Amino acid sequence: MDKINFSLYIKDMIKKNSPVLYKKFCAVVTDFDGDKIMIKFQTSPATPTGKKAVYSEQKVREKDIVILHAETCSSLEKVLEYSEDGFDEKLSEAYELLISDESTASEPISLSDLAELVCGSFEADKSWFLYNQFCASLEFALDENALKNLEIKFIPRRQNEINAIKQKNYEKEHEAEIHAAFIARLKERKLLPEDARYMNEVENVAFCKAEKSKVMVEAGVTQSPEKAHELLIQSGIWDITKNPYPTRYGLSMVSAKEGLGTPPEEERLEVPEIAYAIDNEWSADPDDAVAFDGKYLWVHIADPACFVKPDSSIDKVARDKGTTLYLPEGAVRMLAEESLADYALGLQEKSRALSFRILLKEDNSIEECKIFKTFVNVKRLTYEKATELKDTPELKPLFEIARKNVERRKHSGATNIDLPEIHMSVDPETKKVEIGPLQRYEADSMVCEMMLLAGEGAAYFAFNNGIPFPYVSQEAPEVPKEVMPGLAGQFKLLRCMHKRSVGVTPAMHSGLGIAVYSQVTSPLRRYSDLIAHQQLRAYLNGEKLIDKDTMLERISQGDAASVAAKKASRFSETHWKLIYLLQNPEWSGKAVCIDHKDDGDLFMIPSLAMQTIIKGLAGIELNDEIDVKAQNIDIPTQKVEFIRL
């Protein structure tokens, strides 16, 4: 009802002593003062101890009141005191009449019309009583939208709504006995489907969102994430395949949503040579490609930084994620999935790239590295296919450069560690786990060396041009003079390595045998690479660079998220390996002794890429191989016992 119509209604229809709603009070109109209305209402009722009722008068605006009845009432006291027996039965009969016609069952009905349907008449003295009865009824709901327009209407509720309200009221009245029955069922691990709503706090403990759960205390369960996980499985709330680890580490299971949009138009160098994006056959986000033009090595990298500006909303989400989270059940991407079509390499006729043109010396060290914004023709190959083509004119120079680079890094103290790897996948519908060895090809190593050269070239470029940059370094390991062959020797080398460090000061990466190094080859899936690209592009465009302090803060935040993602990924992989063993109870495999511990011998199981301690074996030497099978698999604690066959 608009203001003009309402004003006419006030002047032509409402009278002195007409009952109205004012906030939560029933009031009567006592007078009119221009465009204001004088009302009287009760602020405190009389009490049995003899305390008198308290009244108040106030001048209000038209929009501050809602008319209960346009006619006059006997008095405010009569309106407030009115009551009527047998009203509930009349109300139910009126409701049955209304819902008998399904087409009008949910149509709002005015207070006056509903009153006449229930009582046969609508009188001013009854208006407050009727309003309260209708509001308190199960059958009708106050129309809040109508009330905003200064009208009083009610909507008949559907039967399912009424049943839900009755159930809620019942549960409120019988809360203690309902809760006690739930705890009894929980102790027996025989929950009903509707009991899931009471288990939220247990899930919070399992997800490390809370440390305590009253439900777990009442059920007599020790409060820990592992015990909460066990309780959720035993009570049927969680399927045994449920993976809690990403959530435990505070990671979202949803890929970034905000798309990058169409890449901006800008001047780019056209690179005529075909570049090769070489990756696993299941790769969906190719972000690097390589080529050799006879003089220069070209490493082309996806260029999302052309759109993602520093500290933009997309940049902040990527920084919070740190990296694309790769799980056996799928990838949770740092940048929106829909962006791959425009920014990954080889998915369009021409790909936009940030390209590193590297001139190598005879010993394969870098003489010059220049960086360009480019258009590139990219051809995709699998590692297997690229290895088959390694002697072709296009790829042979790349394999030769890689071979020389391996030798150069070895002379600089690089440590190469070769431990078993697997490829694991989980069917999203059946949750069936597939595990197989990760087939390695010569092209794997070649591409790796190209990426190392790009990272080294980028680091030199940034250092020589005074660009604040995310450098990656690693302290020199204390490697013994003699390392035994086999997996035992590789494990020993791994134990010698220090953690890598990311900062704004260049330092030796001893593990790689590179004097100054940065990672720049995965900006679609690593935040440190993305921010490196942002700096390089800013320099190329003559724009303001991110200063050292801000750079350090951002890479530290991204690296912390990346570390959490790696932990979540590692625990998730173990989770699905144990599920695989449960799904394949007849499994058996080889185990290789890689170390001797005080409590037993440490073995590596290559087909699972898992380590385990086996006790009570006599005469076992390092690199000895035995056959094992799994037993006593515990999903919540990630424990499994392997025994010798």
Side-chain angles (χ1 to χ4, degrees):
M1 186 180 294
D2 59 45
K3 184 175 180 180
I4 294 176
N5 289 339
F6 184 72
S7 297
L8 292 173
Y9 184 71
I10 289 291
K11 293 177 180 178
D12 295 343
M13 297 191 67
I14 197 170
K15 301 177 177 64
K16 289 183 180 179
N17 274 342
S18 288
V20 296
L21 284 178
Y22 172 64
K23 298 182 178 178
K24 63 179 181 178
F25 302 106
C26 175
V28 295
V29 175
T30 58
D31 205 351
F32 300 97
D33 184 3
D35 61 349
K36 297 291 179 69
I37 303 166
M38 294 296 298
I39 60 170
K40 176 185 177 183
F41 55 95
Q42 187 184 84
T43 57
S44 179
T47 65
T49 58
K51 188 176 180 181
K52 294 183 178 181
V54 179
Y55 295 90
S56 179
E57 291 191 73
Q58 192 161 331
K59 189 183 292 186
V60 297
R61 300 166 297 178
E62 298 169 359
K63 66 178 182 179
D64 293 332
I65 61 172
V66 183
I67 298 170
L68 279 168
H69 203 293
E71 299 300 324
T72 60
C73 62
S74 301
S75 67
L76 176 60
E77 289 78 5
K78 289 288 185 182
V79 173
L80 294 173
E81 292 171 0
Y82 184 87
S83 65
E84 182 178 324
D85 295 330
F87 182 81
D88 290 344
E89 185 177 345
K90 294 179 182 179
L91 184 61
S92 296
E93 290 174 356
Y95 173 75
E96 292 296 331
L97 286 173
L98 282 173
I99 65 167
S100 64
D101 182 358
E102 288 293 330
S103 64
T104 61
S106 60
E107 290 294 319
I109 181 172
S110 68
L111 172 62
S112 58
D113 288 345
L114 184 56
E116 289 185 3
L117 184 63
V118 174
C119 302
S121 63
F122 183 42
E123 300 164 10
D125 283 0
K126 293 183 179 181
S127 58
W128 176 243
F129 169 78
L130 292 174
Y131 170 79
N132 282 313
Q133 291 297 314
F134 296 149
C135 285
S137 72
L138 290 174
E139 293 87 350
F140 296 92
L142 182 64
D143 187 340
E144 297 290 348
N145 289 326
L147 196 62
K148 291 176 183 177
N149 292 322
L150 308 182
E151 297 176 292
I152 300 176
K153 293 184 178 182
F154 292 89
I155 303 173
R157 289 190 173 105
R158 297 284 186 181
Q159 191 59 50
N160 61 336
E161 296 178 87
I162 294 174
N163 292 340
I165 294 171
K166 287 181 177 178
Q167 180 64 26
K168 187 175 181 180
N169 291 340
Y170 174 84
E171 290 176 359
K172 187 174 182 180
E173 292 172 9
H174 301 81
E175 183 177 0
E177 59 187 271
I178 290 173
H179 185 75
F182 156 68
I183 293 297
R185 291 193 296 274
L186 181 59
K187 287 180 178 179
E188 295 180 359
R189 308 299 191 261
K190 294 180 180 179
L191 294 188
L192 300 173
E194 57 266 29
D195 290 332
R197 56 184 168 159
Y198 303 119
M199 297 292 284
N200 289 337
E201 63 181 65
V202 180
E203 289 190 305
N204 285 337
V205 174
F207 284 136
C208 291
K209 292 182 178 180
E211 293 182 358
K212 298 180 180 179
S213 162
K214 183 180 177 182
V215 166
M216 292 177 69
V217 171
E218 291 176 308
V221 178
T222 304
Q223 299 189 79
S224 71
E226 293 77 18
K227 286 296 183 182
H229 189 173
E230 180 181 60
L231 182 60
L232 290 162
I233 291 174
Q234 290 176 346
S235 58
I237 300 299
W238 281 7
D239 184 79
I240 199 168
T241 61
K242 177 76 173 182
N243 176 14
Y245 296 100
T247 306
R248 278 191 190 177
Y249 283 95
L251 305 175
S252 169
M253 288 296 287
V254 179
S255 294
K257 291 295 185 183
E258 186 178 351
L260 271 61
T262 303
E265 294 299 326
E266 59 183 334
E267 185 177 350
R268 288 180 179 269
L269 173 69
E270 293 267 2
V271 181
E273 291 80 12
I274 292 177
Y276 297 91
I278 305 170
D279 213 327
N280 292 302
E281 59 183 351
W282 58 82
S283 172
D285 51 357
D287 52 7
D288 56 72
V290 295
F292 184 71
D293 65 5
K295 181 178 180 180
Y296 295 106
L297 168 66
W298 288 86
V299 181
H300 307 287
I301 309 299
D303 192 17
C306 71
F307 188 93
V308 183
K309 302 304 178 186
D311 219 30
S312 63
S313 57
I314 297 175
D315 179 73
K316 289 176 180 177
V317 169
R319 194 186 314 158
D320 286 340
K321 289 182 175 294
T323 183
T324 288
L325 175 62
Y326 289 101
L327 302 170
E329 58 264 52
V332 182
R333 299 195 180 278
M334 183 184 81
L335 298 176
E337 185 93 31
E338 65 189 52
S339 304
L340 294 179
D342 286 327
Y343 291 90
L345 301 186
L347 303 186
Q348 303 281 357
E349 185 176 349
K350 283 192 176 182
S351 299
R352 293 171 173 83
L354 193 66
S355 298
F356 299 79
R357 193 188 73 181
I358 301 171
L359 181 64
L360 298 169
K361 298 178 182 178
E362 184 62 30
D363 64 354
N364 221 69
S365 61
I366 296 175
E367 181 172 317
E368 174 189 86
C369 177
K370 289 193 175 181
I371 303 173
F372 304 91
K373 296 173 289 182
T374 60
F375 280 118
V376 190
N377 300 305
V378 177
K379 182 177 180 180
R380 297 186 67 187
L381 296 174
T382 63
Y383 286 129
E384 182 179 13
K385 188 63 177 178
T387 301
E388 291 175 5
L389 300 173
K390 68 177 183 177
D391 291 324
T392 60
E394 295 82 8
L395 295 183
K396 186 174 181 179
L398 296 172
F399 280 88
E400 181 60 22
I401 290 171
R403 185 190 63 79
K404 288 183 177 180
N405 207 53
V406 169
E407 292 302 317
R408 176 178 71 95
R409 293 192 302 105
K410 281 183 179 178
H411 291 151
S412 297
T415 303
N416 181 53
I417 299 173
D418 184 15
L419 290 171
E421 294 182 81
I422 60 168
H423 174 62
M424 180 165 44
S425 62
V426 177
D427 185 287
E429 299 296 329
T430 66
K431 304 301 181 184
K432 182 174 176 57
V433 184
E434 298 288 347
I435 295 179
L438 185 63
Q439 184 68 44
R440 291 176 177 171
Y441 299 94
E442 195 174 340
D444 292 63
S445 176
M446 182 270 283
V447 172
C448 178
E449 294 304 319
M450 301 301 106
M451 299 306 105
L452 293 177
L453 283 166
E456 185 179 4
Y460 276 121
F461 182 91
F463 179 74
N464 292 334
N465 290 286
I467 303 171
F469 212 59
Y471 297 101
V472 184
S473 60
Q474 187 181 48
E475 291 182 30
E478 297 179 5
V479 179
K481 292 182 179 180
E482 292 187 9
V483 177
M484 71 183 309
L487 287 180
Q490 295 300 300
F491 179 73
K492 182 70 173 180
L493 284 176
L494 181 64
R495 295 291 301 273
C496 294
M497 303 304 292
H498 295 284
K499 290 183 179 180
R500 70 167 181 70
S501 177
V502 182
V504 294
T505 303
M508 181 76 182
H509 195 302
S510 297
L512 295 176
I514 297 176
V516 58
Y517 177 66
S518 180
Q519 289 183 312
V520 294
T521 57
S522 297
L524 290 175
R525 52 191 177 92
R526 274 198 306 253
Y527 182 73
S528 61
D529 298 42
L530 178 62
I531 197 171
H533 277 230
Q534 290 172 341
Q535 283 291 79
L536 294 173
R537 286 184 59 87
Y539 177 82
L540 295 176
N541 295 335
E543 298 170 351
K544 183 179 179 181
L545 298 172
I546 302 171
D547 63 76
K548 280 190 175 183
D549 289 342
T550 304
M551 171 67 68
L552 184 59
E553 180 182 348
R554 291 181 186 174
I555 61 177
S556 296
Q557 183 179 345
D559 199 48
S562 180
V563 169
K566 288 177 182 176
K567 290 180 179 178
S569 180
R570 185 171 69 250
F571 280 103
S572 296
E573 288 173 1
T574 301
H575 170 81
W576 289 110
K577 288 173 185 177
L578 298 186
I579 296 296
Y580 172 81
L581 291 173
L582 287 174
Q583 292 175 351
N584 298 272
E586 302 303 317
W587 176 92
S588 65
K590 302 292 184 182
V592 180
C593 183
I594 57 175
D595 200 5
H596 298 303
K597 299 287 186 180
D598 292 339
D599 55 346
D601 298 303
L602 181 64
F603 284 81
M604 166 69 75
I605 304 172
S607 62
L608 298 176
M610 287 184 73
Q611 296 177 20
T612 185
I613 289 179
I614 302 179
K615 302 178 181 180
L617 298 180
I620 293 292
E621 302 292 336
L622 294 180
N623 287 326
D624 279 357
E625 186 177 83
I626 63 173
D627 293 311
V628 296
K629 69 175 184 178
Q631 64 179 21
N632 299 329
I633 299 166
D634 190 320
I635 296 297
T637 61
Q638 294 206 328
K639 291 180 180 179
V640 55
E641 182 183 357
F642 289 95
I643 61 171
R644 186 175 190 174
L645 288 174

